[in-house]
Amino acid sequence: MGKQKLSSKGVQNSGCTKATLWWFYLVAACIKVLLFPSYRSTDFEVHRNWLAVTHSLPLSQWYFDETSPWTLDYPPFFAHFEHFLSMFAHLIDPKIVHLQEGLNYSANTVVYFQRGTVILSDLCLLYGVYRLTRNLDSRKQKLIWLSAIWSPMLFIVDHVHFQYNGFLIGILLISLSYLEEGRDLLGGFFFAVLLCLKHLFAVAAPVYFVYLLRHYCRGGIGRGFTRLLIMGGMVAAVFAAAFGPFFHLGQIQVIRRLFPFGRGLCHAYWAPNFWVFYIMSDKGLAFILRRLGFNVQTPTATFTAGLVGDSSPFSVLPQVTPLVTFMMVLLALSPCLLKAWKDPKPQMISRWVAYAYTCGFLFGWHVHEKASLHFVIPLAIVAVQTLEDAKHYFLLSIVSCYSLFPLLFEAQEYPIKVLLLLLHLILMWSGFSAQFPDGAETARAPTGHHTEKKVDQHKSNGGFVIGWIERMYLVGLVIVEIWGQFLHPLLLGDKLAFAPLMLISIYCALGIMYSWIWQLTFIVKSP
C-alpha cells in the first residue's frame, strides 16, 4: 500500500512538472507570435529559398541550384527537414515554394508560416530540456527552463532575426541527456543526427569521441572492440543515410557547399572572439610602423569596412588559415580531452561539450556571433549546480545576449532587445538569489543521474552577489551601449560608422575570453 501511494505521488509530481513546462513554452510562444511583424534578416529569405529548392527540384539538384544567391549549404538532414516543411508551405501558399516567383516573397502567408515553424520546432528544445531536468527539484528545473526556453538570445536570433537554433540545440540536449544517464549509444546516435543537420556542431566531436571511447568502449579488449564496432557502425549508418544518396549520384558538391573556406577568417560583423584582438593588434602595429616611417601596405579588403573577403587582410601580422584555427581549437580543447580520457564522468559531459563550443567560438574560422548559443544554452543546464556556476552563467548570458544586439539594427526593434535582456537579468538574479539565499551550494551526486546533495561550503550571508570586477564590467556594457547608440551619432555623425560595432565586439570578446578561462580553470581543477 505504501509503495502504491509513493508511486501515485511520483506520477502526480511528474504531471505537475510537465504542466509547468508546457506553461513556460506557451508563454514563450505567445511572445514569439507578437514578434511576427518584427525585423527579418536575409536568413528568412535563405530558408524560404531552401523550401523552394527542396520542393521544386529533385534531390540530385538540391546542392547545385543557384537560382538565388542563398544556396543550400546545410547538411542533408536539414535539407530533408526543409523538404518536409515545404509540403505544408505548398498547401498554404504555392508561391512560397516557387523557385523563381518566390524570390524575396514577403506576404503574410510566408511570414506567418516560417515563423510558426520555428515555434513548433522549439518543441525539440522543450523535450531536450525536460529530459535533462526531469530528476531535479522544482526550483532548479524552473531556473533552467527560464534560462533555456525563455532565453533572450533565442528570441533575438530565432524569432526576430530568424533561424532554427532552438530545434538544433534541442537535439544536442537530448544527446547530452542520454549520455548523463549512461545510455551512450543513444547519446552518440543523436549527436550523429545533429551533425547531419548542422555540421558546425562538429566542434564538440573530439569530446564525444574521447568520452565514448573511454566510457562506452570499456570492459577489456574484446568487449571494448565489440562496442567500438557497434558505435562506429551506428554513426556510419547515420552518415550513410544522410550523405549516401548524394555520394551515390557522385555529388561531392555537397562537401564543398558545407565548407566554404573562402569566406574569410571573420564574419561581416566580428564575432566577439580571440581574432578581434588579433585584428586590432595588426591595425595598431600598422599605424605605429607607418608613423615611424616604415612603408606598410594597406590591404585592399579591410575588416573595418565590415566586408567578408577571400583571405585575411593583415598588414603586419601573419595571415591566418583555416588549418591554423583548427589547430588552435584543438589545442584549447586538449585539457578537456585529457580529463575525459582519464576519467569519463557522465555528470561532466555537458560542461565539457559547452567548453568545446566556447573554444570553437573563440578560435574558429569565420565564426558567426550567433554561435554563442551553442555554449550558453548547455551552460544553463549546469548553472544551478554551484554558486560559482551561477555567477559565471549570469555574467556570460548577459554578455552573449548583448553581443547579439547589432543583429537587430532597426530602431523599432531597439526596445524589444533591451527589454528582453533586462527581463532576463531580473529573472536570473531573482532565481539565483532564491536558489542561493545564503551562498550555500548544491551539486549533483557523482552518479550523473541528477540526484541532489547539499555541499556546505563557501557559505556567506550575502547570497547571490557577483564580484566587483564583474559588476564593473557590466557597468562598462552600459557605457558601451550609451556611446554606440546615442553619443557616437550625436558627436561624430556618420564618421567611423563601423566603430560602435567594433567596440561592442572588442568589449564582449573580453567577457567571452573571461568565460573561457573560467571554464578551463574549473575543468582542470575538477577532481
Side-chain angles (χ1 to χ4, degrees):
M1 188 70 177
K3 288 183 179 179
Q4 186 177 359
K5 287 182 179 179
L6 186 62
S7 176
S8 176
K9 185 178 180 181
V11 171
Q12 185 178 4
N13 289 338
S14 176
C16 291
T17 297
K18 292 177 182 177
T20 307
L21 184 59
W22 277 110
W23 181 84
F24 271 84
Y25 172 79
L26 292 173
V27 170
C30 290
I31 297 173
K32 294 165 187 176
V33 169
L34 293 176
L35 295 175
F36 274 12
S38 57
Y39 163 78
R40 303 184 303 276
S41 73
T42 53
D43 279 337
F44 187 88
E45 171 60 16
V46 168
H47 287 278
R48 190 222 53 82
N49 183 61
W50 292 359
L51 291 173
V53 167
T54 55
H55 184 84
S56 304
L57 298 175
L59 181 142
S60 60
Q61 297 180 35
W62 286 2
Y63 287 93
F64 284 92
D65 179 75
E66 294 184 353
T67 305
S68 165
W70 315 117
T71 53
L72 181 61
D73 59 3
Y74 270 30
F77 277 178
F78 198 90
H80 288 295
F81 172 69
E82 294 278 7
H83 178 61
F84 172 74
L85 296 180
S86 72
M87 299 176 189
F88 300 97
H90 181 262
L91 296 175
I92 293 172
D93 184 351
K95 192 173 179 180
I96 296 174
V97 293
H98 197 284
L99 205 57
Q100 284 81 28
E101 295 180 11
L103 291 174
N104 298 310
Y105 188 44
S106 59
N108 285 339
T109 49
V110 65
V111 172
Y112 296 163
F113 174 77
Q114 287 195 234
R115 290 206 183 279
T117 61
V118 180
I119 295 174
L120 290 175
S121 67
D122 278 348
L123 289 170
C124 190
L125 175 66
L126 190 76
Y127 182 65
V129 171
Y130 168 72
R131 279 199 56 84
L132 272 169
T133 61
R134 57 183 175 172
N135 293 321
L136 294 175
D137 68 57
S138 61
R139 181 180 290 171
K140 289 185 176 63
Q141 285 179 334
K142 290 171 185 175
L143 260 175
I144 294 173
W145 300 345
L146 281 173
S147 305
I149 299 171
W150 288 1
S151 168
M153 297 176 67
L154 280 177
F155 278 96
I156 290 172
V157 176
D158 282 13
H159 303 282
V160 179
H161 186 270
F162 194 83
Q163 277 192 351
Y164 289 89
N165 289 286
F167 163 60
L168 297 167
I169 292 172
I171 295 177
L172 174 66
L173 298 185
I174 292 170
S175 171
L176 293 175
S177 71
Y178 281 115
L179 293 183
E180 290 201 0
E181 292 173 1
R183 302 167 71 179
D184 293 342
L185 197 60
L186 279 171
F189 169 78
F190 278 101
F191 185 67
V193 170
L194 177 62
L195 296 187
C196 294
L197 282 163
K198 189 171 184 178
H199 53 300
L200 299 182
F201 282 92
V203 176
V207 174
Y208 268 83
F209 176 78
V210 172
Y211 175 81
L212 291 174
L213 184 64
R214 293 289 291 164
H215 190 265
Y216 180 72
C217 303
R218 59 187 175 183
I221 296 177
R223 186 186 180 196
F225 184 70
T226 301
R227 287 196 162 198
L228 180 62
L229 289 177
I230 293 172
M231 180 66 73
M234 181 272 298
V235 173
V238 172
F239 276 83
F243 291 92
F246 297 94
F247 288 171
H248 176 71
L249 297 170
Q251 294 188 6
I252 307 302
Q253 171 75 0
V254 177
I255 302 300
R256 287 196 289 268
R257 282 279 183 89
L258 297 184
F259 299 99
F261 290 118
R263 286 184 177 177
L265 175 64
C266 291
H267 192 234
Y269 161 55
W270 304 348
N273 61 12
F274 171 80
W275 300 116
V276 170
F277 304 116
Y278 192 82
I279 295 166
M280 292 311 300
S281 298
D282 180 78
K283 298 293 181 187
L285 286 172
F287 176 79
I288 293 171
L289 290 175
R290 289 192 194 100
R291 287 283 182 156
L292 294 176
F294 291 92
N295 183 21
V296 178
Q297 297 296 322
T298 302
T300 54
T302 63
F303 286 108
T304 51
L307 301 175
V308 179
D310 292 332
S311 61
S312 302
F314 295 107
S315 301
V316 180
L317 297 178
Q319 303 294 335
V320 179
T321 65
L323 180 60
V324 170
T325 61
F326 174 78
M327 296 304 296
M328 287 189 66
V329 171
L330 204 57
L331 182 63
L333 266 177
S334 56
C336 177
L337 298 179
L338 286 173
K339 280 286 184 179
W341 179 267
K342 290 180 180 179
D343 190 7
K345 297 177 180 178
Q347 69 269 26
M348 288 292 291
I349 188 62
S350 295
R351 193 184 297 273
W352 290 337
V353 167
Y355 174 75
Y357 288 127
T358 308
C359 294
F361 183 86
L362 279 176
F363 305 110
W365 177 268
H366 195 73
V367 174
H368 289 240
E369 65 283 354
K370 295 163 283 191
S372 56
L373 276 164
H374 296 177
F375 55 86
V376 173
I377 299 295
L379 282 173
I381 308 301
V382 302
V384 298
Q385 292 185 18
T386 69
L387 179 60
E388 293 307 312
D389 279 316
K391 292 178 180 179
H392 166 250
Y393 176 78
F394 180 79
L395 179 68
L396 174 65
S397 63
I398 292 172
V399 174
S400 299
C401 182
Y402 178 70
S403 72
L404 300 177
F405 270 28
L407 289 177
L408 309 185
F409 52 85
E410 295 184 351
Q412 59 265 32
E413 272 75 44
Y414 187 75
I416 294 174
K417 60 188 182 183
V418 171
L419 286 173
L420 285 172
L421 180 54
L422 288 177
L423 180 63
H424 171 76
L425 187 153
I426 293 168
L427 290 174
M428 287 296 96
W429 186 277
S430 302
F432 288 135
S433 295
Q435 177 65 26
F436 306 103
D438 57 354
E441 299 189 358
T442 59
R444 290 181 187 174
T447 59
H449 291 283
H450 297 290
T451 52
E452 306 295 326
K453 65 176 182 179
K454 280 284 182 180
V455 181
D456 296 321
Q457 56 183 353
H458 307 300
K459 283 192 175 182
S460 68
N461 294 323
F464 184 74
V465 179
I466 61 175
W468 68 270
I469 295 178
E470 290 81 0
R471 290 199 296 271
M472 292 299 295
Y473 180 82
L474 293 179
V475 170
L477 278 183
V478 177
I479 296 173
V480 168
E481 178 62 13
I482 292 174
W483 169 261
Q485 190 66 29
F486 303 106
L487 297 182
H488 184 97
L490 182 65
L491 300 177
L492 299 178
D494 294 333
K495 296 179 181 178
L496 302 174
F498 193 67
L501 293 179
M502 183 176 64
L503 184 59
I504 292 174
S505 292
I506 293 171
Y507 196 76
C508 290
L510 291 172
I512 304 295
M513 287 291 292
Y514 165 80
S515 170
W516 173 69
I517 294 170
W518 188 94
Q519 291 180 62
L520 176 61
T521 304
F522 188 100
I523 289 170
V524 170
K525 290 184 177 180
S526 62

